[in-house]
Amino acid sequence: MLKILASILSADFARLADEIADVEAADVDGLHIDVMDGHYVPNITMGPAVVRGAASVATVPLDAHLMISDPAKYAGDFIAAGVSRVCFHPEVAPDPLALLSFIKKKGAQAGLAVNPDSDVDSMKRLFPKADYVLVMTVFPGFSGQKFIPSALDNVRRVRALFKRDIAVDGGVSPGTARMVYQAGGNVFVVASAVFGRKDRAAAVRALRAAALG
Ligand code: DX5
Ligand code: ZN
């Protein structure tokens, strides 16, 4: 039930294939790709070309988290590049229901991303069409930020309405894993608490052990 996705944002990009092999050997369930465009968030990361490279060496599924101003324009490119799940921030999609359908029609699972200051109630009409929800516990833009405990209210709110996967993204570590899991998050997206540690297998074990208590 509990899944751990390693966010490659904190990987050593000069050795990306080795880094992917290392976290796969540590038994992560997938690789999370943080896509940032310098408009929706004040940072620029990676595009479909990097995803294609990562997908060519990965043995676990990839998911894209689109932190970009025009997710509808690029979602298809990330699916073509090899991700099997795509989530986007619905407030910047002119027609979020159409984008959820489009992602599914292209053969991927479709997710909705919730910011710490998002109004979950205003999004709930979209939930029946989503395969998963990703709740941010930091403001999107950078890895290594401090976990925002009040954002757990959003995890609880979504869990009350949504029975499928809830991913929690931002500041998830052995110190926060238990509260995330108890709030209803069953997929942990983790960058620094995995890639920031030398022994990735120990890092993943520590996350699972902390979550399950
Ligand atoms: C933040 C990204 C996260 C980030 C998590 O904008 O969406 O996926 O990489 O990083 P950590 O685990 O270091 O908070
Ligand atoms: Zn993310």
Side-chain angles (χ1 to χ4, degrees):
M1 186 66 187
L2 173 64
K3 286 176 233 167
I4 296 183
L5 309 180
S7 160
I8 66 167
L9 191 54
S10 292
D12 176 354
F13 283 93
R15 307 172 40 253
L16 188 54
D18 293 343
E19 291 279 77
I20 289 172
D22 197 33
V23 294
E24 287 179 341
D27 216 17
V28 299
D29 300 286
L31 300 172
H32 177 89
I33 313 289
D34 285 307
V35 179
M36 306 187 192
D37 64 353
H39 294 274
Y40 180 69
V41 288
N43 193 8
I44 299 176
T45 58
M46 55 205 122
V50 173
V51 172
R52 204 168 291 116
S56 74
V57 297
T59 59
V60 294
L62 274 61
D63 76 281
H65 175 191
L66 302 182
M67 289 162 276
I68 62 179
S69 296
D70 195 350
K73 185 171 178 187
Y74 297 102
D77 293 347
F78 286 93
I79 297 166
V83 306
S84 53
R85 287 184 150 200
V86 179
C87 74
F88 62 93
H89 290 260
E91 73 276 12
V92 290
D95 188 344
L97 280 177
L99 183 50
L100 290 168
S101 303
F102 173 80
I103 291 167
K104 292 200 257 192
K105 208 177 71 202
K106 292 280 173 189
Q109 292 198 315
L112 295 166
V114 176
N115 279 334
D117 60 357
S118 293
D119 175 15
V120 169
D121 270 346
S122 72
M123 284 184 192
K124 68 183 181 196
R125 71 182 180 95
L126 305 172
F127 289 171
K129 294 275 186 245
D131 294 304
Y132 67 106
V133 176
L134 179 139
V135 180
M136 299 290 310
T137 38
V138 299
F139 284 94
F142 299 91
S143 56
Q145 301 183 75
K146 202 170 156 350
F147 183 82
I148 301 171
S150 60
L152 287 175
D153 288 343
N154 284 341
V155 180
R156 289 185 205 98
R157 280 188 196 111
V158 176
R159 182 46 87 203
L161 300 163
F162 192 75
K163 299 303 160 216
R164 302 176 72 184
D165 280 349
I166 298 179
V168 178
D169 187 2
V172 178
S173 71
T176 58
R178 183 74 181 150
M179 47 189 165
V180 168
Y181 192 65
Q182 285 182 325
N186 68 299
V187 180
F188 294 176
V189 175
V190 189
S192 39
V194 169
F195 283 107
R197 286 190 53 177
K198 229 185 155 86
D199 184 343
R200 276 70 186 265
V204 171
R205 275 197 305 274
L207 285 160
R208 288 191 202 280
L212 303 173

